[in-house]
Amino acid sequence: MHAMFITVQRTPEGVRMIDQRRLPREETYLVFREPEEVAAAIRDMVVRGAPAIGVSAAFGLALGASAAAALPPDRFRERMEQLFQLFTDARPTAVNLFWAIDRVRETLDAGLAAGRDPGHIAAEIETLAQTVHDDDLDSCRAIGRFGAEVVPDRGTVLTHCNAGGLATAGYGTALGVIRGAVEAGKNVRVLADETRPFLQGARLTAWELMQDGIETVLITDSMAGSLMRRGEIDVVVVGSDRIAANGDIANKIGTYPVAVLARAHGIPFYVAAPLTTIDMSCPDGDRIPIEERDPSEVTSMFGVPVAPEGVGVMNPAFDVTPAEYIAGIITDKGLARPPYSESLAALFSR
Ligand code: MRU
């Protein structure tokens, strides 16, 4: 099972990514030569999905470090601090972004403390960024292997948003579990929620799974409950943008109602995410910052207004699903079961 697209990569010219805003109608790649452009690409959803945002930030910071390598150490640090702030402000919920920034900051601090010149440190940051990318791909494949067992043969999986190769360095988290099950020889059908308002499910998940030849059925978000009641769904698998230490998870808006519906119908609800998505410094879901996005995402579709001008709008991009609704959290280090305050902590000590 091999992705036919590249989500994000470092090339000699800059940072190259597939423009996810134009999928599935157009498969266009953009190359960004300035770190400011990479930060804007994260903010504007050219690239999205928690791990892909982290990888993109690492590459963007590496681009900035290499361009600043000729500066004296104090000016080099100043420029890097400016870039850390720029990427910190790009999107607030996905913790992988802050995880990646922290890794680059550690490399910068260690290099400067050891008296290495900026050119040397920039090279170390480039290596780190590539490692962040490659490790994410390995993590997703591990998630796929650990998660394959939760998908029944000839079963139907419901997923929400896009937690696939497009949301990671490749392979995906929730879609990694589906790919892992298919690679283990299971026959799997996927129901993809369209995921209003940005339509990651309709545009991205359906496109990605169909490229792999996995049977995919698109539904609107409001259909999930009725289809559960009809016995059409065996298991739910979603990704996450941030997992708190107690197992509460933030994911794309609309995930929480799916979890509640799954509980009401006795259907197991699983979350798939690498350890880089787990924020042990965040005690519970109430402390996860939830991004509020532009009202125009709700009032119009593809630039065409669908609501009266001036109507009040709420557009929280994520919701929190409490740990009590989650049957298991599938990570790159294994499957965590409740109580999560113990099982998640144990994953980090492995
Ligand atoms: O706003 P987005 O598209 O960045 O939101 C993405 C999600 O909510 C994904 O489910 C999550 O990042 C997990 S990606 C493996």
Side-chain angles (χ1 to χ4, degrees), residues 218-272:
L218 178 63
I219 62 170
T220 68
D221 299 346
S222 52
M223 293 175 188
S226 169
L227 294 173
M228 285 181 186
R229 193 170 152 82
R230 269 168 40 180
E232 297 267 5
I233 297 168
D234 299 298
V235 59
V236 179
V237 186
V238 299
S240 175
D241 289 80
R242 194 184 295 227
I243 299 174
N246 72 342
D248 293 350
I249 69 112
N251 193 47
K252 180 52 53 195
I253 192 76
T255 301
Y256 171 53
V258 170
V260 175
L261 284 167
R263 166 63 53 85
H265 293 87
I267 297 166
F269 176 96
Y270 286 95
V271 177

Side-chain angles (χ1 to χ4, degrees), residues 45 48-51 91 161-163 167 173 200 240-241 251-252 318:
M45 312 275 278
R48 29 66 50 203
R91 291 192 75 186
C161 194
N162 172 269
T173 55
Q200 289 94 331
S240 175
D241 289 80
N251 193 47
K252 180 52 53 195
F318 300 94

